[in-house]
Amino acid sequence: MHHLVWLRDNCPCTRCRDPRNGQKLFQITELPAALAIASERAVRTGDGTPAREIVWAPDGHVSVYAQAWLDEPTGPDGDGRTEDAKELWAAAELHGRLPEADWDAYTVDPRVRARALEQVVRLGFVLLRDVPRRDRQVLDVARTFGYVRETNYGELFEVRVEADPNNLAFTGARITPHTDNPYRDPVPTLQLLHCLANGARGGDSGLVDGFRAAALLREESPADFDVLTRTPVPFTFADAHTELRADRPLIAADPLGRIREIRFNNRSIATLSYGPERLDAFYAAYRRFGEILLRPELQLDFRLAPGDCLVFDNTRLLHARTAFEESGQRHLQGTYADLDGLASTLAVLRREEAAA
């Protein structure tokens, strides 16, 4: 038996929902306080679909629900952003099945594009091959599924050695697994990196599934996992023109306890203002999580070739790179976008594919 208020709240009739856009036309406070079913019977809609008609008391409102909708299982499916909607992985598990797509096929075949975007949702990334090596091309890639998120770095950022860098990314230094922009609220949920040149010695890329690492922490040390989900961490960034701060846990869980977001960037953690006991617990948990993230079996290592464009979930995957010779030629262009735009594009592609 369905919950009565839930059922009435989901009435699909044109008095309750605008037929042009499906949005509700009433507030919850406008529903009768003491709902009851006055009568109920099996009916068919105008196109012959089996349905259930309910007449409500005390106001006599009539609702007709498709039987297939009533029979759908209910449960905490969520928005697809939490761990239960993902395929968590270690490096060896992707051997021989790296999620990738050819750029030409991606741009002309909606099915190829849908499969590529599905990989970002499910595995956290996709590698687009043979993307034209044009200046600002990375922006065009982002616009195939969403909108560019402009930041203090501009529409795009140049990942190459700079004379006066405001970020270690713009040097030849080794960078350990991290997420980008943890000091930003909201954090950019997607990142794109388009390789224009990679002739320097070193500069290989790496990805770690942060959800898998967090799940391992929860399995191996539940107390440490709990500490990292309950301790706000001050992430900060400042230069001559920018000052940003966001206080968030390293591991964010939804109200049902499912892993939803990772923010991990040792370069951006400011001073924590907690007492000794809480600091002891935090640093022990932080160290344990950091050690898990550095396990070699978790990191997928690869080298971006000119024309490769990596699209990845910045709330789940941590990215890294080896050091490289600053005298060599290594040039990536990057930009940020958001998962909601990608998810919307994927949903429309699936809808169109189902209707074809």
Side-chain angles (χ1 to χ4, degrees):
M1 180 63 184
H2 293 89
H3 189 279
L4 295 186
V5 179
W6 174 86
L7 200 57
R8 178 64 182 271
D9 187 42
N10 285 281
C11 176
C13 82
T14 56
R15 288 177 56 193
C16 293
R17 291 180 181 271
D18 189 310
R20 297 163 297 183
N21 53 47
Q23 294 185 339
K24 289 180 182 177
L25 299 170
F26 63 91
Q27 300 292 327
I28 190 66
T29 53
E30 297 174 48
L31 297 181
L35 277 172
I37 293 177
S39 65
E40 182 177 359
R41 67 189 180 108
V43 297
R44 289 188 177 273
T45 62
D47 62 0
T49 303
R52 202 85 188 160
E53 179 191 87
I54 293 178
V55 179
W56 295 96
D59 59 350
H61 186 81
V62 178
S63 301
V64 177
Y65 303 94
Q67 190 63 51
W69 180 83
L70 291 171
D71 293 339
E72 286 180 358
T74 59
D77 294 331
D79 59 3
R81 293 280 297 278
T82 55
E83 60 179 309
D84 58 326
K86 312 295 185 183
E87 180 185 340
L88 309 190
W89 53 265
E93 293 161 357
L94 295 183
H95 181 70
R97 62 182 192 101
L98 199 67
E100 59 185 7
D102 176 77
W103 174 250
D104 286 342
Y106 171 89
T107 55
V108 302
D109 189 337
R111 294 169 299 178
V112 173
R113 186 177 303 186
R115 300 299 91 77
L117 301 184
E118 284 171 356
Q119 302 281 24
V120 179
V121 172
R122 186 168 56 87
L123 294 173
F125 73 106
V126 71
L127 193 56
L128 300 177
R129 303 286 196 180
D130 295 320
V131 178
R133 286 183 287 157
R134 291 194 293 261
D135 182 44
R136 302 175 66 82
Q137 175 69 29
V138 69
L139 302 178
D140 292 335
V141 177
R143 288 170 181 140
T144 65
F145 56 75
Y147 305 92
V148 171
R149 168 85 83 87
E150 187 169 358
T151 70
N152 57 296
Y153 300 110
E155 279 190 317
L156 61 75
F157 49 92
E158 310 280 358
V159 185
R160 59 186 175 189
V161 174
E162 294 184 357
D164 186 23
N166 67 352
N167 193 303
L168 280 178
F170 310 135
T171 72
R174 169 183 179 246
I175 299 181
T176 54
H178 66 284
T179 62
D180 264 23
N181 287 209
Y183 41 76
R184 201 177 295 280
D185 182 24
V187 67
T189 50
L190 284 177
Q191 183 172 168
L192 292 80
L193 291 171
H194 181 213
C195 182
L196 298 178
N198 199 5
R201 177 177 297 179
D204 291 347
S205 299
L207 292 174
V208 176
D209 186 349
F211 282 16
R212 177 68 171 267
L216 285 170
L217 177 67
R218 181 176 56 199
E219 176 185 332
E220 297 173 6
S221 182
D224 286 333
F225 178 86
D226 187 54
V227 166
L228 294 190
T229 61
R230 293 187 298 103
T231 306
V233 174
F235 292 102
T236 63
F237 174 84
D239 63 12
H241 307 289
T242 309
E243 188 158 341
L244 297 166
R245 173 169 175 152
D247 287 42
R248 296 291 186 274
L250 298 184
I251 303 171
D254 76 353
L256 298 177
R258 301 174 297 187
I259 300 164
R260 181 177 176 85
E261 180 179 293
I262 306 296
R263 294 197 191 210
F264 193 95
N265 192 318
N266 64 296
R267 291 171 284 134
S268 302
I269 295 179
T271 304
L272 281 74
S273 301
Y274 298 122
E277 185 176 346
R278 193 170 184 187
L279 285 175
D280 282 347
F282 171 76
Y283 276 108
Y286 176 27
R287 183 182 185 88
R288 185 183 293 268
F289 189 38
E291 289 171 344
I292 291 174
L293 289 167
L294 290 176
R295 290 178 183 175
E297 66 269 22
L298 291 189
Q299 181 163 306
L300 177 69
D301 296 312
F302 57 97
R303 185 173 181 85
L304 289 172
D308 287 346
C309 186
L310 180 65
V311 182
F312 62 97
D313 181 346
N314 185 52
T315 66
R316 175 185 171 186
L317 297 194
L318 293 82
H319 60 291
R321 75 154 189 244
T322 60
F324 65 93
E325 292 183 350
E326 294 194 359
S327 59
Q329 188 180 26
R330 186 179 190 272
H331 183 196
L332 312 181
Q333 285 188 328
T335 193
Y336 298 113
D338 284 300
L339 279 163
D340 59 353
L342 184 148
S344 171
T345 298
L346 177 56
V348 171
L349 289 169
R350 284 172 170 165
R351 191 170 65 201
E352 291 173 347
E353 188 174 341

